[in-house]
Each structure stands twice: as C-alpha cells, then as structure tokens.
Amino acid sequence: MMKQTVVSLLIVVLILAACAPNFEGEQEEAVVDDSTDESTDESAIIPKHNLSDETYRVLIDSNLSKARGVITNQISNRLDIDELEEGLRRHSKEVYDPETYYFQEGQYLTDDILYNWLTRYDENDQPNGLNPALTQEEGQSAEQAEKESPKYLSHILEQDYMKKSEDDVVELAGISIGIAMKSVYRFRIQQDDGTYSPYYEEEISETEMLKEAKSIAGEVVQRLRQMEGLENIPIRLAVYREADQNSLVPGEFVATTNVAGDSSSVGDWEDVQEEHVLFPTNYGENTYPDVSATLVDFEADVANYFPNYVSVIGKGFFQNGELRKLTVEIPVSFYGKAELIGFTQYVYGLVLNGFPDDYNVEINITSGDNQEALIVRDAGDEEGFVHIYD
C-alpha cells in the first residue's frame, strides 16, 4: 500500500511539473563592459522580445541612471520630462538601429556632475557652470540683470546605446545627449529682508535659445571626450526647447547633429520640424484646419450620443507639418458599466469611420480622475484596440 501511494505521488508531481509554465529561454544574460577595468564588469539580462520593431530592448541590470532624480528637479513640466526622454530615444533611432542596439540609462553623467554643470558660470566658485555668469552693472536692478542673463540651460540628459560582441559582451557603442533649454526664464529676487519677490518671467526667443544651446553642446562634447570610456564613442546631440511651465502640451526638439567617434568638434546642425498642438485652440484651428475640423465633427457626434459630457480635448504631434499621432481625452460621468461599454463601442465606431488612417489615434475615456476605457488605432490599420478598465 505504501509503495502504491509513493508511485501515485510521483505521478502527480510529474503531471504538475509538465503543466507548470516554463519561463526559461525568454531572456538571455550577457556581460556588460562599462569600464576599462574588467573587474568591474557586471552581468545584465537582455529581454528576448521588445514591445515593437520600433522600440529598444532595455538592459535589465543594477545600472540605473547615475543621475536619477535630477531631471525632475530641473524641469518643472512633467510633459516636458516625458517628451525629452521619449523624444531623445526617437531621434536616436536615426543612428542607433533598435534591431542591433540595446538601451541603457546614462552611466557617465552623474548627479554631482550635472548639478555642477547646470549652475551659472563663476570663475572662482563655479568654473564648470554652463549657464551664463550673472553680472549686475552699477545702477542696474537685480531683476534687469537676471533678464539680460537668463539661465538658458535646464538639463542635460544622457542615454547609452549598447551592442553585443561575438563573445556575448555588451559594450557601449554610442550615446545620445539631450540639451534641454528654457523658452521662458522664471526667477525670483532675494530681497534685503531675506524674503523672495514674486516670480518674474522673461521669454527667450528660439533664435537666442538655439545660439546658446549650440555653444553649450560644443563644450559638453569637449568634456565628454575627457571622460574614461567616451574618448572614441559616437555622440548624438539633440536640442530640446521646453514648453511653458503650465502648458498642456510639451515642447519640442528643434535641432540634431552627430559627432563621430574620432571627433571632438560639433559640425553642422539639422533643423527639426516638430510640435505638439492643443485642440481646440486658435493656433490649432488656424495652423491645422483639417485636423481641427475632424475633431469638431467628432465632438458633435459624441454630443449626439452623450449630451452631458464635458468636452473633447485633442493633442496632436506633428512632424514636418504632418500629423503623426492624435491623442484625445473624453471626460464623461457614467452611471453604470453598461453605459460605459455602450459609449465606448459607439466611440470606437466613430474612430474607425471618422479618422483618417495615416496617423496613430489614441482615445482616453475618463471619469473624474479614473481612466475608464482606451481605444488605440495605429496608422495603416483597419481595426483598432479597445480596453475597458475594471
């Protein structure tokens, strides 16, 4: 009887083992060579699959960004933070193919280095500051001095792009540097009693900003070439112009260039024609009337089904004057799941029939602070994807 029980237990174990999911083989391990000292090499997990052909496989290891948290202290608009990071990856694809390169967060520009570089230049106290020195002439107010020498530079973002050699060593093969510049300089003045004045704002023209950015980029390249491991690495440079602090859409990249691995100087820049546009606005209606008209018709159709909705808010991403992605938010108050499902089905039909298929469309149906449903259709697809949240 005991022998029969043991056999039965073995059969159960074997059956369970056969049914258990097998997660092996979905990823691979490789050595990351991040310095000239082999003793500091570490292993990293390379995901077997990426999310799409247009995204990088991100190395999974202990090497998080050496400047974690700096970007949130330097850039106040969350939309700008996201666009700077995602947009720099987008522009990096032009030189670092996602099929052959892996992505890793920056490992060379630490938080100490960045805070040192992002300060104002001072010959004695801050000789590495990349923002202009502040000089106050006799008879000049502190406010005027700030306005005439604004802090142009907000942040420097580093992204590393790796390649795997034949002996499974992942090595740095290129880096991208995003130079984030202000469009509005916002500052306060410390008064005699130690308190601070209200905020002042000084607009910075794109021409003035770009001139300063190119000068800063040249100095950054010189400094990178002096760092161990970056002496002969190709560098992708991109200048980002931030939006206003309270803007509902992010800023945009305005210029890019490449520095070859055997060079320490920045050559010609290429203009980038990108912008994020909010609808409905006068600018959106006047600049992109076809897109604006499509959203007006869409809003009217939504109102026919659900007359007590708030409004339709659209955000378009344009490259070279062409719409690449349209994101729409529809805030509605629902009184039941069936009502939400019916409304989502109706909106999905509007998307398929009313929006051209030559750009990506994303519809977010919200209720209060909650996301209720998501509709996505990629450019060129006849059908889309719909998800209703529990």
Side-chain angles (χ1 to χ4, degrees), residues 104-380:
Q104 186 179 50
E105 293 184 313
Q107 300 297 304
Y108 293 87
L109 298 183
T110 65
D111 52 359
D112 290 340
I113 291 174
L114 283 180
Y115 283 129
N116 187 256
W117 289 7
L118 296 172
T119 59
R120 286 189 180 277
Y121 172 81
D122 184 280
E123 184 177 2
N124 298 316
D125 296 331
Q126 297 292 347
N128 292 320
L130 291 172
N131 272 302
L134 181 64
T135 57
Q136 186 173 352
E137 303 293 339
E138 185 178 352
Q140 187 182 43
S141 67
E143 175 189 349
Q144 192 60 35
E146 290 278 358
K147 288 184 175 181
E148 291 186 2
S149 297
K151 287 184 177 180
Y152 297 95
L153 176 64
S154 290
H155 187 58
I156 300 172
L157 176 65
E158 174 202 350
Q159 294 179 349
D160 296 344
Y161 293 88
M162 323 289 285
K163 265 190 166 183
K164 187 170 66 172
S165 64
E166 294 181 355
D167 52 356
D168 285 340
V169 175
V170 178
E171 302 172 325
L172 181 66
I175 66 172
S176 289
I177 297 293
I179 309 292
M181 304 290 288
K182 300 179 187 296
S183 61
V184 176
Y185 176 43
R186 193 166 181 263
F187 64 95
R188 293 190 297 176
I189 303 296
Q190 187 172 13
Q191 303 179 91
D192 294 339
D193 60 359
T195 62
Y196 284 88
S197 69
Y199 277 102
Y200 298 99
E201 291 188 351
E202 178 72 8
E203 292 189 9
I204 302 172
S205 70
E206 184 169 334
T207 301
E208 181 184 0
M209 176 223 69
L210 194 53
K211 178 182 177 182
E212 292 292 329
K214 290 178 179 179
S215 175
I216 290 170
E219 178 61 28
V220 169
V221 170
Q222 294 289 331
R223 296 182 185 185
L224 292 177
R225 286 291 182 243
Q226 297 174 17
M227 293 184 178
E228 184 178 6
L230 299 182
E231 298 91 344
N232 301 293
I233 298 297
I235 302 173
R236 173 72 159 173
L237 293 168
V239 176
Y240 181 80
R241 178 172 171 82
E242 297 173 30
D244 182 81
Q245 179 177 343
N246 299 315
S247 175
L248 297 178
V249 291
E252 56 273 331
F253 285 88
V254 296
T256 59
T257 190
N258 299 316
V259 180
D262 59 355
S263 175
S264 298
S265 60
V266 179
D268 295 333
W269 290 80
E270 180 180 351
D271 292 338
V272 175
Q273 302 297 325
E274 293 183 351
E275 64 176 337
H276 295 263
V277 180
L278 183 68
F279 297 93
T281 58
N282 291 333
Y283 178 80
E285 182 179 356
N286 295 331
T287 309
Y288 301 103
D290 292 343
V291 178
S292 179
T294 299
L295 282 171
V296 169
D297 293 340
F298 176 70
E299 184 173 26
D301 289 335
V302 171
N304 288 335
Y305 182 96
F306 214 109
N308 65 334
Y309 83 106
V310 177
S311 64
V312 168
I313 302 170
K315 298 177 183 180
F317 172 57
F318 296 82
Q319 288 180 314
N320 299 315
E322 298 292 330
L323 181 60
R324 301 302 182 193
K325 181 177 181 180
L326 181 63
T327 303
V328 180
E329 181 178 346
I330 309 176
V332 182
S333 295
F334 297 102
Y335 295 96
K337 182 64 74 172
E339 188 175 74
L340 167 63
I341 293 172
F343 180 73
T344 302
Q345 291 171 334
Y346 176 72
V347 172
Y348 179 58
L350 296 179
V351 170
L352 297 184
N353 297 323
F355 288 94
D357 63 358
D358 54 354
Y359 53 82
N360 297 333
V361 177
E362 177 184 314
I363 308 292
N364 296 291
I365 300 174
T366 62
S367 179
D369 295 330
N370 299 321
Q371 174 95 13
E372 300 288 356
L374 171 68
I375 301 172
V376 175
R377 189 187 67 181
D378 292 335

Side-chain angles (χ1 to χ4, degrees), residues 41-56:
D41 292 349
E42 299 181 2
S43 61
I45 300 300
I46 302 175
K48 184 176 181 180
H49 304 287
N50 55 1
L51 300 180
S52 73
D53 293 338
E54 298 180 354
T55 58
Y56 289 99

